[in-house]
Amino acid sequence: MRLDYVSIFPDFFAPLALSLPGKAAASGLLDVRVHDLRTWTHDRHRTVDDSPYGGGAGMVMRPEPWGEAFDALLPDRPAPPGESRPTVVFTTPSGERFDQRLAEELASRDHLVFACGRYEGIDQRVVDHARERAEVREISLGDYVLNGGEVAALAITEAVVRLLPGFMGNAASLVEESHAESGLLEYPVYTKPPQWRGHEVPAVLRSGDHAKIAAWRHEQAVRRTAERRPDLLTPSVLDDGTPIVRAAPGDAGELLTLQRACWVQEALANDMLDIPALHESLDDVRTWLGEWDTWVVRRAGRLVGAVRGRREPGTDGEDGDLWDIGRIMVAPDLQGSGLGRALLEHIQAVAPAGVTSYVLFTGAASVRNQQMYKKAGFRLRRDLPAPPGAVVLTKRRR
Ligand code: 6GU
């Protein structure tokens, strides 16, 4: 992954050389470049700001140096097929809120350019111009104001880079780390000694009873979340407030209709008439409804979306650590509305504790689906077996 930083205070990025990203850069995983915006000024005072049109307090960053910075850092030709366009991240308190989901999205990119504003902001035309040449995100860390976007860019970098495969030994260290995906805050953790300054490690953690420990941790996580972040406990709803609810047996008929509509589309896109889901009967749908955790969305009484998830049995017949996601279906007139993405988010969130990875399949030629899955942090796994005409994607749970 290539990372560029443009700022009038390039010294802010010195920590990148010593921290974990520094090590990743040394190993070749990251290509990190820091730039002084004033490189692209031409006057004696190396001016980057001026007073705002329309009046008001403070100064605004002039567009010309930014334009030249983009000329230097962004390719002037469209991305070759299979390679993503660069993403320009403007760090600004008026941006969208940064969170783990956005970190995952940025981690899937090949090239991030951080444009760090100072003063009252950057001339809006810089953002509009960048949109013509790259994917653009305006991102804020939260509802408070920093003097500039440099510290925010560092925070975003750390959250993104640790998600890259091959980073910090990766694998196991990330898996157990956070309950973020279950929508709960982390439970409290303890280590030796068992007694310290009059405080004791809870006895259950020393009992060796793994089921009891898991239950205690879950209860603690729920309690903490209710106290500190009650907003996280609200049930899954779409942006407009429409709830995502568990499917009922009576939904089988409508599910079959939706499935036919969606899988005819899949069949045409992949030039494959023998996709099994296309040929299921009402009884087939009734049967899988009993075996899968299935969720649906209703709008004006009509079933417009669905998704199902199921735990893959482990090798020993016990519950496995893999959550199999499938049948993400959106009514044709609502495709592209974000409903599929919301369903995908939801089915990950409801996976039971103990699940450590998600897996899903889609048509090899279903480009739009694959794009959505990649945006959600899934990775194409050509190394894993897939049914004929399909591809498999996986994602680690956090
Ligand atoms: Cl990204 N920039 C600035 N200047 N202030 C912020 C921020 C960003 N996020 C929160 N406050």
Side-chain angles (χ1 to χ4, degrees):
M1 175 183 265
R2 178 168 155 191
L3 298 169
D4 286 285
Y5 301 84
V6 183
S7 158
I8 56 168
F9 292 117
D11 291 349
F12 260 101
F13 298 95
L16 287 178
L18 19 118
S19 63
L20 290 165
K23 285 176 197 138
S27 77
L29 182 66
L30 292 178
D31 176 4
V32 179
R33 307 181 197 183
V34 179
H35 313 274
D36 186 344
L37 179 68
R38 293 190 204 273
T39 311
W40 293 291
T41 58
H42 303 288
D43 63 312
R44 212 155 53 83
H45 301 290
R46 311 183 85 195
T47 314
V48 293
D49 62 335
D50 210 328
S51 50
Y53 273 116
M59 301 289 266
V60 174
M61 295 190 103
R62 293 172 59 99
E64 302 95 322
W66 289 106
E68 290 193 30
F70 294 152
D71 291 343
L73 302 179
L74 299 176
D76 41 21
R77 32 140 198 107
E83 213 174 283
S84 59
R85 295 211 298 173
T87 299
V88 177
V89 175
F90 288 92
T91 46
T92 161
S94 42
E96 64 180 309
R97 217 2 213 283
F98 188 63
D99 60 11
Q100 193 62 27
R101 198 194 59 115
L102 189 44
E104 280 164 14
E105 201 175 321
L106 294 178
S108 73
R109 302 299 192 265
D110 301 317
H111 185 188
L112 303 179
V113 177
F114 288 91
C116 304
R118 284 260 152 182
Y119 312 116
E120 296 307 304
I122 305 176
D123 188 302
Q124 181 59 39
R125 292 169 294 176
V126 172
V127 181
D128 299 339
H129 171 68
R131 271 190 224 290
E132 296 161 5
R133 310 183 50 172
E135 185 202 19
V136 168
R137 309 300 287 256
E138 294 178 81
I139 298 177
S140 163
L141 285 193
D143 298 335
Y144 46 84
V145 178
L146 306 170
N147 277 333
E150 285 79 6
V151 168
L154 284 172
I156 293 167
T157 299
E158 191 154 317
V160 168
V161 162
R162 60 188 289 287
L163 298 176
L164 299 179
F167 185 73
M168 74 180 223
N170 226 323
S173 52
L174 288 180
V175 177
E176 291 280 321
E177 199 163 324
S178 163
H179 275 195
E181 207 109 341
S182 72
L184 297 175
L185 300 183
E186 190 68 90
Y187 48 76
V189 294
Y190 300 84
T191 185
K192 286 179 268 306
Q195 270 108 25
W196 179 73
R197 298 195 176 184
H199 296 267
E200 249 191 77
V201 174
V204 57
L205 296 179
R206 295 193 282 144
S207 68
D209 183 336
H210 294 294
K212 243 165 114 181
I213 291 170
W216 181 85
R217 284 180 166 164
H218 181 72
E219 192 243 70
Q220 290 288 317
V222 171
R223 175 176 305 187
R224 266 192 174 181
T225 311
E227 277 171 13
R228 301 174 186 181
R229 294 292 307 279
D231 57 303
L232 296 179
L233 290 179
T234 52
S236 215
V237 293
L238 306 181
D239 289 342
D240 65 354
T242 314
I244 303 176
V245 298
R246 270 221 164 74
D251 291 326
E254 272 192 290
L255 276 168
L256 179 66
T257 307
L258 186 60
Q259 183 166 307
R260 288 268 166 89
C262 292
W263 260 261
V264 164
Q265 231 176 12
E266 274 290 285
L268 292 173
N270 291 280
D271 198 16
M272 253 185 77
L273 273 177
D274 53 353
I275 302 175
L278 181 59
H279 300 276
E280 285 184 357
S281 67
L282 184 57
D283 271 340
D284 292 328
V285 175
R286 288 194 177 119
T287 302
W288 68 248
L289 257 182
E291 297 167 349
W292 292 74
D293 190 16
T294 306
W295 296 77
V296 296
V297 171
R298 269 191 214 88
R299 265 242 170 100
R302 181 169 72 111
L303 197 145
V304 294
V307 64
R308 72 183 192 183
R310 179 169 75 170
R311 208 167 182 168
E312 292 273 313
T315 44
D316 49 5
E318 302 271 307
D319 281 344
D321 52 14
L322 200 56
W323 185 242
D324 191 351
I325 295 172
R327 304 288 162 100
I328 301 180
M329 307 190 275
V330 174
D333 54 315
L334 291 174
Q335 289 173 10
S337 72
L339 179 49
R341 177 67 193 262
L343 289 164
L344 177 59
E345 233 24 83
H346 178 79
I347 199 68
Q348 295 171 75
V350 300
V355 165
T356 56
S357 297
Y358 309 111
V359 61
L360 54 79
F361 298 87
T362 194
S366 304
V367 178
R368 243 174 54 168
N369 290 353
Q370 289 180 37
Q371 272 168 355
M372 174 178 83
Y373 298 141
K374 284 179 189 167
K375 248 186 146 173
F378 282 80
R379 287 174 210 289
L380 199 54
R381 297 292 300 270
R382 297 193 195 283
D383 55 318
L384 297 179
V391 291
V392 57
L393 296 99
T394 66
K395 174 180 170 183
R396 229 184 358 253
R397 187 179 211 182
R398 267 174 302 278

